[in-house]
Amino acid sequence: LECTMDAFLCLTSAYFPKWRRGHQTYKRTLVLLDNLNIRDTHSIFFRSLADRGFDLSFKTADDPSLSLIKYGQFLYDHLIIFSPSVEDFGGNINVETITSFIDGGGNVLVAAGSDIGDPLRELGSECGIEFDEEKTAVIDHHHYDVSDPGEHTLIVADPENLLKAPTIVGNPSDKPILFKGVGMVADPDNPLVLDILTGSSTSYSYFPDRPISQYPHAVGKNTLLIAGLQARNNARVVFSGSLYFFSDAFFNSAVQKATPGSQRYAQTGNMELAEALSQWVFKEAGVLRVGAVTHHPVGESTPPAAYTITDLVEYSVVIEKLSKGSWVPFDGKDIQLEFVRIDPFVRTYLKKNGDKYSVQFKLPDVYGVFQFKVDYNRLGYTHLYSSTQVSVRPLQHTQYDRFIPSAFPYYASVFSMMGGLFVFSIVFLHMKEKEKSD
Amino acid sequence: MAEHHSVSDSKHKASAVNIGASLSGNGRSSPAGTVGSSPTGALSTGIAQPAGWQSLLSFTILFLAWLAGFSARLFAVIRFESIIHEFDPWFNYRSTHHLTINGFYDFLNWFDDRAWYPLGRIVGGTVYPGLMVTAGLIHYVLNLLHITVHIRDVCVFLAPVFSGLTSISTFLLTRELWNQGAGLLAACFIAIVPGYISRSVAGSFDNEGIAIFALQFTYYLWVKSVKTGSVFWAIGCCLSYFYMVSAWGGYVFIINLIPLHVFVLLLMQRYSRRVYIAYSTFYIVGLVLSMQIPFVGFQPIRTSEHMAAAGVFALLQAYAFLQYLKDRLTRQEFQTLFFLGVSLAAGAVFLTVIYLTYTGRSTLYAKIHIPIIASVSEHQPTTWVSFFFDLHILVCTFPAGLWFCIKNINDERVFVALYAISAVYFAGVMVRLMLTLTPVVCMLSAIAFSSVFEHYLGDDMKRESPPIEDSSDEDDKRNSGNLYDKAGKVRKHVSEQEKTEEGLGPNIKSIVTMLMLMLLMMFAVHCTWVTSNAYSSPSVVLASYNNDGSRNILDDFREAYYWLRQNTEEQARVMSWWDYGYQIAGMANRTTLVDNNTWNNSHIALVGKAMSSNESAAYEIMRSLDVDYVLIIFGGVIGYSGDDINKFLWMVRIAEGEHPKEIRESDYFTPQGEFRVDKAGSPILLNCLMYKMSYYRFGEMQLDFRTPPGFDRTRNTEIGNKDIKLKHLEEAFTSEHWLVRIYKVKKEENRDPLVHSPRSSSSRQKYTSKKVQDPPRFSNGEL
């Protein structure tokens, strides 16, 4: 019995039909704002989204008509929350609906600030990210911008501190990033959270207007300025501690560290980073999927009911990547196939072969229920997982070698015995007659 | 039926001389046999008619025994329905089903990927196929005759039908050992004795059901071949032995008992050509045949259990060779040769014994040292009560029969004595081996009863018999060829007692006879009672009785298994303790991790470890085994004592055997060394997966007003952990009486919220504390 179980593909089944319906539908985006002014102060960012085909609906966060889900269907595919100070969402949106939106495959971009309200902190903790308290800010006395009024909260983040993942943060550039807002921390053991942008080693998070009486919530590189989450269903969430980060002002301002002798840049790196982040979080970049999986013994074209041990098997899988709205074959050098029965018995690289990745290998000399597993988990890409269960049976009674050399003595003994008995019978009968005649 | 005729016919032809004696014995033991009163001298005239009566009588008695045995086994079918019982029969049924649908070769090569996930099981190579093939063959023949029977019904009724064949082969064997009267008694005994019924009620589709027939029939043919010394009977014995090997692992008993018999015969100076021919043929042909069963394979030439047979074979050849040499050589030469041979043999035996001691591992060893074998209740030592329960009066009378046999010893009575002694020993070691004791107890008891009846039911025969017996007595010692059927022992008995018996009045005779008949009657009543009350429960369906005698059927098991079958994915993998593996596979048709074929201890230990760990550790194990559902049995609501909590310590022990670092049995006891599920129980027990699954939401349930909520009726305590929260599992199904509970293993969470991490508490605190404007959040030193 062979069965294919794509237990959890890159796309959940609920989400899958939407991809087919065309671009318009899967780019429906709800934007929640503190006030509608933000639409103008962050117009560059929104325009770039609109230019890329996103269908943006702007609402204030406390709009009583807000709704994400209707009749069990999501009304939007993406959610942008640019309303740091919201204390209660309007309509039927609350933290719970947002988390179920994420669990249903929706993507969320959250920008906070020092005036962060409870709902966003709660949303963060649901995603494994802990925001610092309201009124705190990330402070860095060594890396602040020259235009900082004196609290040292307008931070110039070094692009060195960006996550080394081009699909998420775009191509490397040396332009510093301007940041002003609240800090975050994440549990380093949490495998889903990505530290997209961290503070420098001299940064910390505290109330800028109070003397430090307690150990700060976040210190040094642990301070997260921008964090991301790719959930197990591949829904993506990005938290930025700073709403200003996305503002036109920050996009266009010049930046220079206050330390003497530092270089002045005419423009911040915010725009490029924001664009790359939005591409990643709204699944324009780094999206993979598994297509057809085929496996069969070499020389045949269909899989048998059960493989036999030490069969030579060919396995192939189609892996595609979303590029500008269409699926194209993915080009990866490090995709591995495992043949697993609790532990992997075979682990081998898949080689690109036309549109497919395939490999031929010999099944182990062990019977049982195995799985062909492709588990491709790379930073910035969707978690690609495909498992196909097959049975590997021992030899049938007709499949054993019949004429092995070590059996020849036995064959010889059998035939010599038969011959001997025959001769003996003749002799015996003959003798008897003789005796009688005597 | 044809068998009866031919067998009894041949018997009469073979031993015409004996007819007088055996006939009269038989006549005495049965009320209808009054014809037997004619004196032996007058046999020539009346022989035709009594022989006819005798065959008719034997035939009728055997037929009635078959019928009685068959009917007694139908309690379960009448009370419940035509259903397969217990655990192992479900597997046998499933594989028989596979056999009938896919044919023999597919069955032989069947690799079952739904058992022992993900290891799989080679069914064809790990079963004794005799049972399935027998049932499949019957089904095939019936269908060929257009009698369309479902294979389930064939399976259900197979064991009762075979009990009739067992009766007949017991009759044949006892007749060879003693006489026809004893044979008929033995046939009646074995038909209804509870020790055998326990494994052969309708629905109990298990190997033992047909194996006891094969066992008795093999012994019959063996005795026959020893008596006749003919290759024909020996080959028959081999074929029957082959059937036995294909049916049950208990064939090892045969392959040790027969060599033991031969060996003892050699020791007793009873070596003869007949023994030589019988054993040489049996050993060689039997060995080759037994190796044809894939499950047995090369074991007969490798394992220590079979070495005795090989050793005796060699010894017998050597002995025969020496006998031959003795005729050819001078005394001096012979002595030198003998001395040389003996010292070589002694050396070889010594080395073999050492080798076997180091490599051999019998079930007895395993029983003591491997918890999984010790955990099976069938492997516990037998109590005295169960001897009486299963055998009743027979257990008291069979030593008498044994005594009669030993007193009038000959080749085949040596055999039955060895059979009795070894079977008693093994039955004392393990409850399940009571089954091998039962037939020999029936035979020997029948001999005892038959002798007593012969004594006290007849009167004028005794004085006439001694002359005949005297003449045969000497033959008996030297050459026990023809006269076996004579009531030889009776003769001696009679001659000794002759003087005293003169004084036995008709009163004493009738009192003794009445007493014996009373005993037999009580035996029959006891057998029926035990069969009806103890051995006819399918254990898949439970019954309880109300105060007014009405009956409640608790069908929770099937309810749950059908739920699984209907509501889960085809490929869903169900984890349960191994007892329920066969039933899940058979009734729910779902993949199981472990089942009653406990061949892989470490896999079972892994399941035991999951059951006895806390929930998150168990979740790791369950994920690595791709478990979708967990099934447990919980008896706390109805007071069912065979539930998983009561078996739980075995899971812990088995898990500890493989994972001594993580699981320790002592952790599950209170400091006082008690196993308690109430508040005083050990915290590790109160938080392990099995406890949580058993008692999940049980704390909310109040069974009646006299007890607090969460009162466990099986253990009669209020449970200690009533507020059970499950994180990685969710309740999927609980049967009507909570007997079966099924949990679904949740997928990994989509996100990892902070609650999981150590800082989670501080983050929660922070939210509350924030309102109070007191930031204790820095106090934990989280960084």
Side-chain angles (χ1 to χ4, degrees):
Chain A
L1 286 171
E2 182 258 350
C3 74
T4 304
M5 294 200 344
D6 293 342
F8 124 59
L9 274 180
C10 55
L11 307 165
T12 65
S13 56
Y15 198 60
F16 192 74
K18 290 178 198 155
W19 287 98
R20 291 193 177 149
R21 267 185 267 134
H23 296 194
Q24 302 311 316
T25 42
Y26 76 76
K27 291 196 164 183
R28 296 167 308 172
T29 309
L30 177 65
V31 186
L32 298 181
L33 306 170
D34 265 348
N35 53 64
L36 290 175
N37 285 341
I38 293 176
R39 191 175 167 178
D40 301 324
T41 54
H42 294 64
S43 60
I44 299 176
F45 179 67
F46 288 132
R47 200 180 315 121
S48 88
L49 285 179
D51 289 347
R52 300 208 309 266
F54 286 93
D55 174 15
L56 304 174
S57 324
F58 294 93
K59 298 271 172 66
T60 55
D62 50 4
D63 188 331
S65 67
L66 285 183
S67 140
L68 263 182
I69 304 174
K70 199 170 190 181
Y71 308 129
Q73 292 282 318
F74 291 123
L75 299 173
Y76 301 97
D77 305 299
H78 312 297
L79 176 64
I80 299 176
I81 304 177
F82 275 8
S83 54
S85 64
V86 64
E87 288 293 340
D88 263 316
F89 288 107
N92 64 13
I93 291 190
N94 52 32
V95 173
E96 210 173 298
T97 48
I98 296 173
T99 52
S100 64
F101 178 70
I102 297 169
D103 294 344
N107 307 306
V108 181
L109 172 63
V110 181
S114 290
D115 50 351
I116 183 168
D118 272 351
L120 288 193
R121 303 189 63 201
E122 228 171 282
L123 180 64
S125 86
E126 284 292 326
C127 297
I129 287 161
E130 191 174 356
F131 279 102
D132 202 355
E133 278 183 72
E134 191 179 352
K135 307 253 187 335
T136 60
V138 181
I139 305 167
D140 193 331
H141 299 299
H142 291 261
H143 302 88
Y144 58 92
D145 191 65
V146 281
S147 60
D148 183 85
E151 285 183 327
H152 298 177
T153 54
L154 184 61
I155 291 171
V156 179
D158 201 328
E160 284 292 298
N161 293 331
L162 277 172
L163 190 67
K164 304 286 178 291
T167 36
I168 302 176
V169 300
N171 294 322
S173 86
D174 58 350
K175 288 195 235 171
I177 293 144
L178 213 50
F179 182 93
K180 179 181 170 59
V182 70
M184 298 169 267
V185 287
D187 181 1
D189 294 337
N190 188 332
L192 303 174
V193 170
L194 308 168
D195 306 345
I196 295 176
L197 179 62
T198 65
S200 68
S201 49
T202 52
S203 63
Y204 65 96
S205 170
Y206 204 66
F207 300 95
D209 50 353
R210 286 194 209 167
I212 296 180
S213 57
Q214 272 169 316
Y215 199 78
H217 184 67
V219 168
K221 293 248 183 197
N222 284 322
T223 320
L224 294 181
L225 307 181
I226 299 174
L229 163 82
Q230 178 164 284
R232 292 204 166 84
N233 67 351
N234 288 311
R236 289 169 179 173
V237 184
V238 166
F239 290 94
S240 160
S242 163
L243 176 58
Y244 297 120
F245 169 83
F246 295 99
S247 68
D248 299 355
F250 276 32
F251 278 9
N252 290 327
S253 87
V255 59
Q256 184 182 15
K257 274 186 209 166
T259 38
S262 45
Q263 193 190 345
R264 180 187 163 88
Y265 295 88
Q267 201 191 14
T268 61
N270 285 27
M271 188 155 74
E272 287 83 355
L273 180 58
E275 195 160 325
L277 279 177
S278 67
Q279 280 181 356
W280 181 75
V281 72
F282 296 137
K283 290 204 172 148
E284 289 176 305
V287 179
L288 303 177
R289 73 172 182 190
V290 173
V293 172
T294 54
H295 55 91
H296 50 81
V298 171
E300 295 173 34
S301 56
T302 49
Y307 288 105
T308 307
I309 50 169
T310 68
D311 269 358
L312 198 59
V313 169
E314 180 167 345
Y315 172 92
S316 64
V317 59
V318 175
I319 296 176
E320 291 170 315
K321 178 185 171 184
L322 189 67
S323 168
K324 299 193 178 69
S326 60
W327 293 103
V328 295
F330 177 61
D331 201 9
K333 300 263 183 295
D334 54 354
I335 302 173
Q336 288 183 335
L337 170 72
E338 287 179 343
F339 196 59
V340 180
R341 193 193 78 179
I342 301 182
D343 302 313
F345 279 69
V346 173
R347 182 183 282 143
T348 173
Y349 281 109
L350 283 164
K351 282 178 207 72
K352 188 141 191 217
N353 185 0
D355 288 355
K356 300 188 286 190
Y357 287 87
S358 63
V359 70
Q360 287 188 1
F361 66 98
K362 193 177 168 189
L363 296 185
D365 191 3
V366 178
Y367 61 81
V369 181
F370 286 82
Q371 286 171 347
F372 291 106
K373 258 189 196 166
V374 174
D375 189 351
Y376 187 68
N377 198 2
R378 293 290 181 276
L379 209 57
Y381 287 101
T382 38
H383 180 197
L384 205 66
Y385 182 87
S386 156
S387 87
T388 309
Q389 182 175 318
V390 294
S391 305
V392 177
R393 54 157 305 132
L395 294 175
Q396 304 211 357
H397 72 289
T398 49
Q399 287 174 320
Y400 290 94
D401 275 339
R402 191 154 294 198
F403 298 101
I404 50 177
S406 56
F408 284 124
Y410 297 94
Y411 290 119
S413 88
V414 165
F415 286 106
S416 66
M417 189 74 188
M418 283 160 69
L421 184 70
F422 186 69
V423 172
F424 176 77
S425 324
I426 291 175
V427 170
F428 185 74
L429 293 172
H430 186 64
M431 295 269 289
K432 221 173 182 182
E433 271 175 29
K434 243 186 178 178
E435 270 177 53
K436 266 183 190 171
S437 68
D438 284 345
Chain B
M1 296 187 179
E3 215 172 323
H4 307 210
H5 285 305
S6 65
V7 167
S8 45
D9 284 352
S10 70
K11 187 252 163 191
H12 295 305
K13 278 173 210 149
S15 54
V17 192
N18 293 338
I19 275 185
S22 59
L23 173 62
S24 51
N26 189 39
R28 284 179 208 126
S29 65
S30 49
T34 45
V35 276
S37 57
S38 60
T40 326
L43 266 181
S44 50
T45 56
I47 192 157
Q49 209 191 5
W53 275 108
Q54 194 185 6
S55 319
L56 180 63
L57 203 59
S58 309
F59 173 78
T60 315
I61 290 172
L62 285 176
F63 178 73
L64 288 176
W66 189 327
L67 204 66
F70 184 80
S71 330
R73 286 164 169 82
L74 296 188
F75 276 111
V77 172
I78 291 164
R79 290 215 189 114
F80 298 94
E81 59 188 284
S82 172
I83 185 192
I84 304 288
H85 290 191
E86 295 196 319
F87 305 105
D88 287 17
W90 275 101
F91 167 75
N92 297 331
Y93 169 62
R94 184 162 159 254
S95 25
T96 311
H97 195 70
H98 187 92
L99 170 71
T100 50
I101 288 177
N102 299 305
F104 179 73
Y105 283 108
D106 196 76
F107 170 70
L108 190 68
N109 288 314
W110 186 20
F111 173 69
D112 185 2
D113 51 12
R114 316 200 72 170
W116 289 93
Y117 180 88
L119 309 176
R121 174 182 177 190
I122 315 171
V123 176
T126 57
V127 292
Y128 291 103
L131 182 71
M132 296 89 186
V133 172
T134 308
L137 201 67
I138 292 174
H139 180 254
Y140 174 76
V141 168
L142 287 179
N143 274 286
L144 215 60
L145 301 172
H146 291 284
I147 305 171
T148 49
V149 191
H150 191 274
I151 183 66
R152 190 194 63 231
D153 293 316
V154 175
C155 296
V156 166
F157 292 104
L158 188 75
V161 169
F162 264 75
S163 75
L165 294 175
T166 312
S167 293
I168 289 167
S169 46
T170 306
F171 162 74
L172 294 172
L173 178 56
T174 318
R175 196 183 59 178
E176 293 303 318
L177 295 170
W178 201 258
N179 62 21
Q180 190 150 4
L184 290 172
L185 263 180
C188 296
F189 286 160
I190 192 98
I192 56 169
V193 67
Y196 176 40
I197 285 191
S198 66
R199 295 318 186 90
S200 63
V201 292
S204 169
F205 181 54
D206 216 342
N207 294 330
E208 290 93 330
I210 62 168
I212 294 301
F213 157 68
L215 182 82
Q216 289 292 88
F217 200 60
T218 310
Y219 285 156
Y220 161 65
L221 292 168
W222 167 249
V223 165
K224 196 82 186 165
S225 53
V226 168
K227 277 170 85 167
T228 57
S230 100
V231 175
F232 171 75
W233 287 110
I235 293 290
C237 179
C238 294
L239 291 176
S240 176
Y241 173 66
F242 174 61
Y243 185 62
M244 176 71 186
V245 176
S246 77
W248 193 35
Y251 77 89
V252 176
F253 184 47
I254 299 184
I255 199 62
N256 282 300
L257 185 59
I258 288 181
L260 183 66
H261 180 213
V262 173
F263 184 64
V264 171
L265 287 181
L266 289 186
L267 288 185
M268 293 171 75
Q269 300 280 306
R270 280 175 170 271
Y271 169 81
S272 66
R273 283 268 164 89
R274 289 174 287 105
V275 174
Y276 178 77
I277 291 171
Y279 188 68
S280 303
T281 316
F282 168 77
Y283 179 70
I284 293 298
V285 180
L287 180 75
V288 171
L289 284 177
S290 66
M291 287 167 68
Q292 305 309 307
I293 304 295
F295 188 31
V296 176
F298 282 90
Q299 278 181 45
I301 52 172
R302 276 194 190 144
T303 60
S304 55
E305 293 106 87
H306 300 80
M307 283 308 134
V312 169
F313 179 69
L315 189 69
L316 191 66
Q317 302 305 321
Y319 193 88
F321 185 62
L322 284 179
Q323 295 281 339
Y324 174 78
L325 285 184
K326 222 175 178 175
D327 297 344
R328 310 269 148 156
L329 297 176
T330 65
R331 199 173 163 73
Q332 188 56 45
E333 281 172 325
F334 183 72
Q335 270 183 351
T336 324
L337 197 71
F338 186 76
F339 184 73
L340 201 69
V342 164
S343 42
L344 277 179
V349 167
F350 180 70
L351 289 177
T352 317
V353 166
I354 288 182
Y355 172 73
L356 289 182
T357 319
Y358 277 96
T359 57
R361 245 192 193 203
S362 63
T363 319
L364 293 181
Y365 169 86
K367 194 170 97 72
I368 300 164
H369 298 279
I370 302 177
I372 194 156
I373 294 184
S375 76
V376 178
S377 60
E378 292 182 330
H379 294 164
Q380 304 300 321
T382 318
T383 57
W384 284 107
V385 181
S386 69
F387 274 106
F388 186 76
F389 193 71
D390 277 357
L391 303 169
H392 196 248
I393 192 66
L394 305 185
V395 81
C396 312
T397 53
F398 99 95
L402 185 60
W403 170 245
F404 285 136
C405 283
I406 291 176
K407 246 186 121 185
N408 301 280
I409 203 79
N410 61 22
D411 287 358
E412 63 272 14
R413 285 175 197 155
V414 170
F415 177 74
V416 78
L418 292 170
Y419 183 4
I421 291 163
S422 53
V424 166
Y425 170 71
F426 287 121
V429 173
M430 261 192 218
V431 178
R432 67 186 296 206
L433 295 180
M434 183 67 100
L435 193 62
T436 53
L437 174 66
T438 306
V440 71
V441 163
C442 288
M443 295 190 308
L444 290 175
S445 291
I447 289 172
F449 273 104
S450 167
S451 306
V452 170
F453 282 134
E454 249 170 81
H455 247 89
Y456 291 96
L457 267 182
D459 35 15
D460 36 10
M461 280 307 285
K462 264 152 237 159
R463 248 146 277 155
E464 288 162 33
S465 37
I468 308 173
E469 286 155 18
D470 284 340
S471 66
S472 64
D473 244 10
E474 272 151 45
D475 289 18
D476 229 351
K477 277 174 198 143
R478 279 289 110 195
N479 150 35
S480 37
N482 294 331
L483 302 168
Y484 285 90
D485 293 322
K486 289 205 115 176
K489 46 278 125 174
V490 183
R491 305 167 216 140
K492 272 205 168 174
H493 203 200
V494 168
S495 49
E496 280 170 18
Q497 290 194 336
E498 200 129 2
K499 296 143 226 162
T500 57
E501 244 177 59
E502 299 289 343
L504 284 182
N507 281 344
I508 295 194
K509 285 190 177 178
S510 54
I511 286 173
V512 170
T513 311
M514 288 296 287
L515 210 66
M516 289 289 145
L517 287 176
M518 283 281 285
L519 285 178
L520 290 183
M521 209 175 72
M522 281 163 64
F523 171 68
V525 171
H526 173 83
C527 289
T528 318
W529 181 80
V530 169
T531 309
S532 150
N533 287 289
Y535 292 138
S536 292
S537 160
S539 89
V540 175
V541 183
L542 304 175
S544 71
Y545 293 89
N546 297 335
N547 292 335
D548 58 357
S550 62
R551 207 163 53 119
N552 283 336
I553 296 285
L554 309 183
D555 211 355
D556 284 39
F557 288 105
R558 288 198 293 174
E559 185 192 345
Y561 293 137
Y562 288 140
W563 183 88
L564 272 180
R565 181 187 271 265
Q566 301 293 338
N567 294 285
T568 60
E569 279 172 68
E570 183 81 18
Q571 296 296 330
R573 288 149 286 222
V574 183
M575 180 170 93
S576 70
W577 191 234
W578 59 263
D579 300 27
Y580 315 106
Y582 280 162
Q583 290 186 347
I584 293 172
M587 283 191 260
N589 193 21
R590 290 294 173 268
T591 307
T592 57
L593 271 74
V594 291
D595 62 33
N596 310 47
N597 171 263
T598 50
W599 63 274
N600 188 324
N601 192 31
S602 63
H603 208 54
I604 291 181
L606 208 54
V607 172
K609 187 183 169 194
M611 296 290 193
S612 38
S613 310
N614 63 45
E615 200 187 343
S616 26
Y619 186 61
E620 291 299 310
I621 299 171
M622 293 191 290
R623 268 178 45 78
S624 72
L625 294 171
D626 303 319
V627 176
D628 296 313
Y629 292 90
V630 187
L631 179 145
I632 57 154
I633 306 295
F634 172 60
V637 173
I638 55 161
Y640 175 71
S641 60
D643 68 353
D644 278 345
I645 292 280
N646 278 1
K647 291 173 185 169
F648 183 61
L649 278 182
W650 286 112
M651 304 183 200
V652 174
R653 277 174 208 150
I654 291 167
E656 187 185 12
E658 295 277 326
H659 310 278
K661 293 212 176 112
E662 288 102 328
I663 306 288
R664 269 174 304 274
E665 192 184 346
S666 53
D667 292 347
Y668 295 83
F669 291 114
T670 58
Q672 289 76 37
E674 293 164 298
F675 180 71
R676 309 177 59 153
V677 296
D678 58 6
K679 281 209 173 68
S682 103
I684 291 189
L685 172 68
L686 263 50
N687 286 296
C688 72
L689 186 71
M690 177 51 82
Y691 188 94
K692 280 182 150 186
M693 288 193 298
S694 290
Y695 292 120
Y696 179 63
R697 292 182 57 206
F698 186 61
E700 301 162 18
M701 191 190 196
Q702 188 162 16
L703 288 164
D704 57 45
F705 294 110
R706 282 162 293 172
T707 54
F711 184 80
D712 183 330
R713 283 186 180 167
T714 306
R715 286 153 284 271
N716 283 320
T717 45
E718 188 183 347
I719 58 169
N721 184 357
K722 288 188 187 174
D723 182 31
I724 293 172
K725 298 254 178 347
L726 290 170
K727 204 186 296 164
H728 302 292
L729 295 167
E730 60 188 359
E731 186 181 5
F733 176 81
T734 296
S735 66
E736 189 185 347
H737 304 96
W738 289 47
L739 204 49
V740 185
R741 310 196 70 181
I742 300 172
Y743 290 85
K744 188 178 196 315
V745 181
K746 288 196 221 166
K747 279 188 177 163
E748 254 189 307
E749 272 183 281
N750 194 33
R751 297 162 281 111
D752 288 342
L754 281 180
V755 196
H756 285 283
S757 63
R759 69 165 54 245
S760 63
S761 55
S762 81
S763 88
R764 287 280 179 232
Q765 274 173 11
K766 198 170 69 176
Y767 290 137
T768 52
S769 63
K770 185 185 150 199
K771 303 250 154 68
V772 214
Q773 287 301 324
D774 169 34
R777 60 205 162 99
F778 301 138
S779 58
N780 285 358
E782 301 140 337
L783 305 168

